[in-house]
Amino acid sequence: MGIGLYGLLITRNLIKLVIVLQVLVKMALLALVAAGHATGQVNLGQSLAVTVLVADTVVAVIGLALAVQVRQRLGTLDVTQLSELRK
Amino acid sequence: MTYPTFIWLIGILLLASPVIYLVGRITRREDSSAPAARWLALAAVVSAWVPYILALQETSATLTFGAVALTMDGLSLLLAGLALGLGTLVVLYSMRYMEEDEGEEKYYAMLVAMIGVMIGLGTATDIFNLWVWFEAMAVTSYLLVAFYRNQGLSLEAGVKYLVQSAAGSMLVLVGVALVLMQTGTLNIAEVRALAAPTPGFIVAGALFIIGFGVKVAVVPMHTWLPDAHSQAPTGISAMLSGVVIEAGLIALLRALSALVAVSASWGVLLMAFGALNMFAGNLLALRQTQVKRMLAYSSLTHVGYMLLGLGIGISTGVAAGLEGSMFHLLNHGLMKGLAFLAAGTLLWVLHAAGTDHDALLISDLSGAGRRYPIVALTLSLAVLALGGLPPLAGFMSKWQIFVAGFQTGDALIMATVVFAGLMSVLSLGYYAPLVNTLYRKVPSSIVARGPEIPVLMQVPLAIMALAVLAIGLWPTLLTWLAAPAADALLAAFGG
Amino acid sequence: MVSWLILLVIGLPWLGAAAAFFIRDAQPRVLNTLAVVVSAVSAACAVALLPFATSEVALSLPVGGIFGNFTFVPDGMAVVLAIIATVIGSLAVIFSINYMEGETQLGRYYALVLLFIGAMCGLVLTSSLLLLFFFWEITALCSYALIAFENDNPKAVEGGLKALIITQFGGVGLLGGALIAYSALGTYDIPVFLAQAQTLAPGLLAVMAFGFLAAAAAKSAQLPFHTWLPSAMEAPTPISALIHAATMVNAGVYLLARFYPAFEAVPGWTTAVVIVGALTALLAAIMAIVSNDLKEVLAYSTVSQLGYMVYGIGVGGVLAAQFHLLSHAVFKALLFLGAGAVIHAIGTRDIRKMGGLGKEMPLVRTVFIIGALALAGIPPIFNGFWSKDMILEAGAVGGPTWAYVVMLVVAGLTALYSFRMVWTVFYGERRSTTHVHDAPTAMRVALIPLALGTVTTWLLIGPFGRLYGETLPTHHLHIVDLGEMAAGALAQIAIVLPVIALGLLAFWFRDRLSGITRNLGWLAALARADFGFELANRAIVGATRGAASVIRGTQTGQLNWNAVGIVAGLALVLAVLALR
């Protein structure tokens, strides 16, 4: 997860950022499943995982949709270019 | 099986949302306005009041869907009241404000859904369920922040908000996993009984604070806020500052209350962040020239006051701290909501009059006092109330938090309260010039050329301004809502 | 009955304010009538309270919870100050009929004035610390809004903001003190606090005492918080007369007088009060001598006379200080309104451009001279003489000698700048060619009662003293009647009169003394620079702006940087938790 967080700090491409977020969430998801397993509630762990998967997919879709719009309107996917709003 | 009434409260709103979208889409006119969506949305929020008022009479109702239990306690009622109250006024306001914009049916669908989801958030009794509602709220808000898809700045704000918010959500999720790993349960009450000061729990607590903290705009996780709150459509700005942040705060409190036994420092951390927020928020707002951005930064400061009150209550058990904080939560929603809506009317005028710039500048407010007296008066009242001047609402809730601080008898806490008082004075340094500009004689170009402001946009302003004044003169008007919430918190944190 | 009177005194102006705000500017006559009627009725109610003055709670609005009850006690101090606020308020409103003729946004003006009058009465009548702070803040709000009334004038806006920030800053002292009292005693009730003050931990009581002193100093424009008052002269002159001479600035003195019994035993407090009062009186008098702006001279003079009152309280002469407050309110309002008439006629505030106006404005000249004589403290019929002497008497007996000497010197300086003011404006050569006329009717109606008051209020010392003595038991006031006051004054005359005479002569022979004036040029320059306090103000503002700029730099707009914030936050929290 540390690697993932580091990824958030240095990734410049918007699509890659969405992917990094996806990766991070999958790690959290794995943690949930593992937790369910460790406490003998495998079913719970799995249902939690499914819920997270659904929610996270929605977020990813929105994120990608925004990325597409950004590419269309602003012509770039480089987040360092997206700093009109500052101060 | 009898269902408690609050199921209807959440149900009406969540079911109405897709209906609004579909009907609005189907009946959309050539000019892409969707009057059906507007009216359905209004109907939805107005009818939701019925189950809410009924729910107020019931004490602690619980609803169980299989393994998931939802409870309406004092805290839930407060959040529901705030969300529904501000939400209704925003829907009313938006009916004219969003008239010219494309995608109205999406706007109202998402707005109604957001209100429903926030109320649901308040009822969660286990930390995963809490996360689900929290995530749902985030999703609805992502779409609403980036509503103006044709504007580069909106997209930019939406993107940053999404990435940061998602990162925060992810951290919360890891925290949930940690808790599950160590206790085998997700139910808040059960976790509370099992929690102990082990590293695993401590890390979970930290993750909750930071993860939810992104949404609550705790400094240094606040950087998305000025962009998102200023670029969103005005009604959404009001909701974001007025309810969404607060919902995040309540989620944080629920999660943290499960970990009371883990550390004695939660209250202190909240107070420290509170002081940081007050300081940073004021300084960031001080030199702003854009009105909505200034109001957004001011939300940071007010979150600071809430955190201070909560920290005082949690660390020392002084009930006034919790009650003052809850009172301020309500007041802030009212005052900031009013400020955004009032400023928004002038932004609407700006768009209607057509200018070379997009954002509402302070200089654009010049002369509004004569041309748009109600807007100017209500904006002045909102802003002076935010600055803590009597006889307006903000003074009373800040007073309650300050009293609580002094009641603890702790010198460091009292010094922090004095600091908070000084921060209030500092905030006048940017609120007062705004009021001055409103009453200048020379009108700005947009004020001079602008059209009449529709009555439907001014009615919510008048209602909210009267409320701000009434609460300022008779502070116990909201005790019926704030006190049970404070009691619930006190009980949750082992008071 | 009494409770209704109190409600009317506070509530009627507030209702009038709301009405005035919503009446359109197009009907100035309606506005004028409304304002005059409302303020006059409320003044009548205030006067009607006199026979009912008591130390008991007369009105209590139960609010409950942590906000206590909203209580009001019409004791002597409260009623007198309420009368001053409403009566001088009415006169200022009447004066405004002519002064503000043709101005726009008249509704807003009257709304703010009436809101202020109600709040000022509330401030003095209430016996709840919460409400005291509540009304204190409202008066600050009105003061700021009225100073900055001409929003298109940047100096006015700046003046308003300065007044707001400085008085609010001091207000934090009042806030802290009130909170200390509540958390120690569980009640906001002032009489209860005065009775039980000594049960507070000495450290806390001291913090409260000095906090209140800071708040009072800021509100009454004493050192080191005096810089806002001269900038407040951008306000319309009736406002300067009402708020910055007769009422709001007295709130600080009122605070000190009201809480004196609780704080007099705090070590160092009375000394601090004396120092603040004496130094302020001295420095402000010097600043008045070198100023060329008519309103600024009066502003500094106000600060200086307030210094007298503060000094008076510090040496234990609370009754004397209050009596001087009454005299000063009357003659200073008179002077300000008179100055207003002059400024309105000639169109400038610079006294170097005036001169010889006495011939064309005989009424104004006469009333102005009456006010100036009272200010300078000339016997025998001017109220300023009697009340100032009472303070000096108290100081001779109860205060340090150095302070007494300073106050004597200030009396001389006061005479000097009063004479200078009168002479430069009304006598000598006509330095401007603007055609002037004497005061119009409404202004006269305001000026004449004040002039009459100036020569008569000193006669009321007997009933004044009795009123205070009976209704303020905790204060242990030393009451005098007319005869005793006269005797006391005669004792002081031998010392005071020569000093005053010196002051007058110094101005008369200013040409011959020009050598000294040149040598003291450095002092004059220092005085014009506010003795460095303005620099301190600017430094603080600059530092705050600088900090704001620095922190704005953290909002880079870079998403990656923002993410750093999240990670850093997490690290911070984990670190703190690990350490505790």
Side-chain angles (χ1 to χ4, degrees):
Chain A
M1 193 174 92
I3 303 175
L5 283 175
Y6 181 67
L8 268 181
L9 299 184
I10 58 165
T11 311
R12 290 171 56 155
N13 183 296
L14 193 51
I15 308 272
K16 286 194 195 146
L17 264 175
V18 177
I19 295 177
V20 165
L21 278 172
Q22 285 291 295
V23 168
L24 284 169
V25 174
K26 298 300 179 296
M27 306 230 156
L29 206 156
L30 274 173
L32 278 172
V33 172
H37 212 82
T39 56
Q41 299 175 79
V42 182
N43 287 334
L44 176 64
Q46 286 175 347
S47 54
L48 292 183
V50 168
T51 319
V52 171
L53 205 51
V54 168
D56 181 59
T57 310
V58 172
V59 174
V61 163
I62 299 177
L64 289 172
L66 277 178
V68 166
Q69 288 288 318
V70 167
R71 183 76 168 87
Q72 273 186 348
R73 301 285 158 194
L74 300 171
T76 174
L77 283 172
D78 184 353
V79 292
T80 53
Q81 301 284 340
L82 295 177
S83 54
E84 273 301 306
L85 290 167
R86 54 174 175 274
K87 292 204 170 218
Chain B
M1 172 162 151
T2 50
Y3 295 109
T5 43
F6 73 85
I7 175 85
W8 295 115
L9 176 56
I10 304 176
I12 289 179
L13 294 166
L14 291 181
L15 289 172
S17 174
V19 171
I20 291 172
Y21 180 69
L22 287 170
V23 174
R25 194 78 164 76
I26 294 169
T27 63
R28 198 157 68 165
R29 300 206 192 124
E30 291 100 40
D31 60 355
S32 73
S33 71
R38 272 180 246 150
W39 289 104
L40 273 174
L42 188 62
V45 286
V46 167
S47 52
W49 278 98
V50 176
Y52 178 67
I53 294 175
L54 288 174
L56 281 174
Q57 326 286 1
E58 291 173 7
T59 49
S60 250
T62 310
L63 166 73
T64 322
F65 275 131
V68 173
L70 299 176
T71 303
M72 203 70 161
D73 65 6
L75 198 53
S76 335
L77 284 170
L78 183 137
L79 182 56
L82 181 62
L84 196 55
L86 193 58
T88 314
L89 290 165
V90 166
V91 168
L92 199 60
Y93 179 89
S94 304
M95 288 178 80
R96 289 283 287 180
Y97 188 88
M98 302 296 291
E99 229 178 19
E100 308 288 317
D101 293 309
E102 259 187 63
E104 266 186 281
E105 66 279 355
K106 295 190 203 72
Y107 175 87
Y108 288 107
M110 281 295 113
L111 177 55
V112 170
M114 188 167 80
I115 299 173
V117 162
M118 284 193 289
I119 298 178
L121 186 152
T123 63
T125 55
D126 75 65
I127 42 181
F128 183 72
N129 192 238
L130 185 66
W131 179 87
V132 173
W133 289 108
F134 182 76
E135 203 53 13
M137 176 177 83
V139 164
T140 53
S141 64
Y142 297 152
L143 293 167
L144 287 167
V145 165
F147 185 74
Y148 294 125
R149 266 178 303 148
N150 300 322
Q151 291 177 21
L153 292 177
S154 264
L155 290 173
E156 192 185 311
V159 160
K160 288 187 210 166
Y161 175 44
L162 187 144
V163 173
Q164 291 184 273
S165 176
S169 288
M170 181 272 308
L171 290 175
V172 171
L173 209 50
V174 175
V176 171
L178 276 173
V179 170
L180 180 59
M181 186 103 61
Q182 293 176 87
T183 61
T185 175
L186 293 165
N187 182 285
I188 292 179
E190 288 172 24
V191 172
R192 194 177 299 135
L194 294 169
T198 60
F201 281 113
I202 292 183
V203 172
L207 286 169
F208 286 151
I209 292 182
I210 300 300
F212 285 117
V214 173
K215 189 58 118 260
V216 182
V218 176
V219 175
M221 287 86 66
H222 64 285
T223 38
W224 58 271
L225 184 143
D227 304 340
H229 285 211
S230 54
Q231 293 303 315
T234 297
I236 303 309
S237 303
M239 291 298 283
L240 285 173
S241 264
V243 202
V244 174
I245 299 183
E246 285 76 359
L249 185 57
I250 289 179
L252 172 57
L253 289 172
R254 291 277 202 217
L256 216 52
S257 73
L259 301 176
V260 205
V262 172
S263 165
S265 310
W266 302 131
V268 175
L269 272 172
L270 289 180
M271 281 192 278
F273 276 122
L276 193 54
N277 265 60
M278 284 185 238
F279 189 61
N282 273 334
L283 285 182
L284 286 164
L286 199 58
R287 320 260 337 249
Q288 285 300 320
T289 51
Q290 290 184 32
V291 179
K292 283 179 82 169
R293 224 168 151 76
M294 174 197 276
L295 292 175
Y297 279 124
S298 119
S299 294
L300 288 179
T301 318
H302 287 272
V303 166
Y305 291 117
M306 293 179 228
L307 287 171
L308 180 63
L310 289 167
I312 290 173
I314 291 174
S315 58
T316 61
V318 172
L322 298 171
E323 199 181 313
S325 177
M326 290 295 107
F327 186 22
H328 196 65
L329 196 145
L330 288 170
N331 276 342
H332 178 252
L334 183 63
M335 301 183 292
K336 191 49 71 61
L338 176 59
F340 267 117
L341 292 184
T345 52
L346 292 169
L347 180 59
W348 183 87
V349 165
L350 184 148
H351 286 318
T355 42
D356 58 350
H357 56 271
D358 270 330
L360 184 69
L361 298 175
I362 296 183
S363 50
D364 289 327
L365 299 174
S366 183
R370 309 192 67 196
R371 180 85 208 281
Y372 302 119
I374 298 197
V375 171
L377 178 62
T378 53
L379 182 56
S380 311
L381 286 178
V383 149
L384 292 172
L386 286 165
L389 284 175
L392 304 166
F395 172 78
M396 289 299 176
S397 49
K398 280 186 193 174
W399 177 272
Q400 196 167 15
I401 297 176
F402 293 168
V403 172
F406 270 74
Q407 279 182 324
T408 63
D410 181 305
L412 192 56
I413 294 183
M414 292 199 279
T416 314
V417 168
V418 172
F419 176 73
L422 287 171
M423 286 297 101
S424 240
V425 175
L426 179 57
S427 73
L428 288 170
Y430 53 86
Y431 289 132
L434 194 136
V435 177
N436 281 114
T437 316
L438 282 169
Y439 288 103
R440 295 188 63 174
K441 283 187 209 144
V442 183
S444 67
S445 59
I446 65 157
V447 167
R449 299 201 314 261
E452 289 296 309
I453 296 182
V455 172
L456 209 53
M457 273 165 57
Q458 297 193 58
V459 165
L461 297 183
I463 296 176
M464 292 169 93
L466 279 168
V468 167
L469 193 55
I471 297 171
L473 287 169
W474 208 265
T476 46
L477 278 175
L478 284 180
T479 308
W480 62 275
L481 203 50
D487 290 335
L489 278 172
L490 204 55
F493 279 93
Chain C
M1 177 64 191
V2 189
S3 47
W4 274 109
L5 283 175
I6 297 179
L7 272 175
L8 280 172
V9 169
I10 304 174
L12 195 58
W14 278 21
L15 284 174
F21 192 85
F22 288 108
I23 296 177
R24 289 284 136 244
D25 285 347
Q27 303 178 50
R29 292 189 58 190
V30 175
L31 279 172
N32 287 337
T33 325
L34 169 74
V36 172
V37 167
V38 165
S39 49
V41 170
S42 116
C45 293
V47 174
L49 273 174
L50 270 175
F52 297 104
T54 166
S55 51
E56 302 297 314
V57 174
L59 174 65
S60 177
L61 300 166
V63 176
I66 208 160
F67 302 102
N69 290 335
F70 289 178
T71 52
F72 297 88
V73 172
D75 60 33
M77 208 187 293
V79 175
V80 168
L81 284 168
I83 293 177
I84 292 179
T86 47
V87 170
I88 298 191
S90 315
L91 293 174
V93 166
I94 293 173
F95 190 87
S96 303
I97 296 177
N98 283 138
Y99 193 87
M100 300 292 286
E101 205 170 339
E103 284 285 329
T104 54
Q105 305 193 40
L106 207 55
R108 192 164 69 90
Y109 174 81
Y110 281 126
L112 288 166
V113 172
L114 290 171
L115 180 65
F116 171 81
I117 294 177
M120 190 67 207
C121 292
L123 195 159
V124 297
L125 282 166
T126 184
S127 60
S128 154
L129 277 167
L130 168 58
L131 279 187
L132 181 63
F133 187 66
F134 178 88
F135 287 118
W136 182 279
E137 298 275 281
I138 297 183
T139 57
L141 168 64
C142 295
S143 165
Y144 139 75
L146 285 165
I147 294 172
F149 184 71
E150 275 176 48
N151 283 297
D152 297 276
N153 176 355
K155 283 183 72 181
V157 174
E158 196 193 312
L161 271 166
K162 204 163 152 190
L164 185 64
I165 302 286
I166 294 181
T167 53
Q168 287 292 81
F169 180 75
V172 175
L174 179 58
L175 173 67
L179 293 173
I180 288 178
Y182 180 74
S183 48
L185 298 170
T187 173
Y188 294 114
D189 199 57
I190 297 178
V192 168
F193 168 71
L194 288 176
Q196 300 181 4
Q198 310 311 322
T199 64
L200 260 69
L204 283 178
L205 189 63
V207 169
M208 191 175 168
F210 284 96
F212 272 39
L213 179 57
K219 197 72 146 182
S220 295
Q222 301 291 289
L223 249 60
F225 303 117
H226 59 286
T227 45
W228 66 268
L229 194 59
S231 310
M233 294 300 115
E234 295 295 325
T237 306
I239 303 306
S240 304
L242 175 61
I243 299 186
H244 304 126
T247 49
M248 193 184 85
V249 292
N250 290 326
V253 176
Y254 163 77
L255 191 70
L256 291 174
R258 167 83 59 209
F259 287 91
Y260 179 76
F263 299 143
E264 60 176 317
V266 173
W269 191 75
T270 44
T271 320
V273 173
V274 168
I275 293 177
V276 167
L279 274 183
T280 307
L282 180 63
L283 291 177
I286 298 179
M287 291 194 263
I289 295 175
V290 302
S291 172
N292 290 318
D293 177 329
L294 182 56
K295 281 179 76 172
E296 200 178 65
V297 173
L298 290 174
Y300 280 126
S301 157
T302 305
V303 173
S304 181
Q305 294 302 303
L306 287 167
Y308 259 101
M309 293 177 230
V310 172
Y311 164 79
I313 294 177
V315 298
V318 176
L319 187 68
Q322 289 285 297
F323 197 53
H324 194 56
L325 194 154
L326 173 64
S327 309
H328 176 262
V330 177
F331 70 68
K332 196 45 76 63
L334 174 64
L335 284 169
F336 263 110
L337 291 184
V342 171
I343 296 170
H344 196 248
I346 202 166
T348 175
R349 290 178 4 209
D350 190 331
I351 57 176
R352 292 167 299 193
K353 298 202 182 97
M354 302 177 193
L357 295 175
K359 285 188 277 293
E360 286 151 273
M361 306 181 76
L363 178 83
V364 177
R365 179 189 59 186
T366 314
V367 296
F368 202 87
I369 290 178
I370 293 177
L373 286 170
L375 172 59
I378 311 284
I381 58 163
F382 301 102
N383 58 9
F385 161 69
W386 295 101
S387 51
K388 196 180 288 192
D389 260 40
M390 272 182 82
I391 292 184
L392 285 171
E393 232 188 289
V397 170
T401 324
W402 68 265
Y404 179 75
V405 171
V406 167
M407 300 315 274
L408 266 186
V409 169
V410 176
L413 295 176
T414 311
L416 204 167
Y417 68 70
S418 310
F419 193 12
R420 173 180 181 249
M421 203 173 36
V422 170
W423 187 263
T424 327
V425 173
F426 293 102
Y427 290 93
E429 280 173 38
R430 193 78 156 69
R431 287 186 283 279
S432 142
T433 50
T434 319
H435 169 69
V436 298
H437 49 80
D438 209 348
T441 327
M443 288 194 190
R444 283 178 200 238
V445 170
L447 288 168
I448 294 175
L450 285 172
L452 286 171
T454 311
V455 298
T456 52
T457 60
W458 57 279
L459 292 164
L460 297 170
I461 181 64
F464 184 85
R466 273 198 303 281
L467 178 67
Y468 271 65
E470 279 159 30
T471 58
L472 292 165
T474 36
H475 277 74
H476 309 294
L477 294 167
H478 174 65
I479 312 171
V480 294
D481 64 26
L482 196 55
E484 288 171 47
M485 181 173 78
L490 282 170
Q492 289 285 314
I493 270 189
I495 313 174
V496 175
L497 271 186
V499 179
I500 294 182
L502 257 179
L504 296 171
L505 290 171
F507 180 74
W508 192 248
F509 293 110
R510 63 189 176 287
D511 301 316
R512 303 223 197 127
L513 295 170
S514 57
I516 300 184
T517 329
R518 258 200 303 279
N519 285 335
L520 289 175
W522 60 272
L523 190 60
L526 209 56
R528 284 204 193 88
D530 259 330
F531 287 100
F533 286 100
E534 187 59 24
L535 277 171
N537 278 352
R538 286 190 208 274
I540 296 176
V541 173
T544 315
R545 289 224 170 109
S549 292
V550 165
I551 204 167
R552 282 180 85 189
T554 64
Q555 190 78 14
T556 57
Q558 295 281 349
L559 183 54
N560 299 109
W561 167 255
N562 295 350
V564 169
I566 299 178
V567 177
L570 187 58
L572 188 67
V573 172
L574 285 170
V576 169
L577 289 169
L579 289 171
R580 284 180 66 111

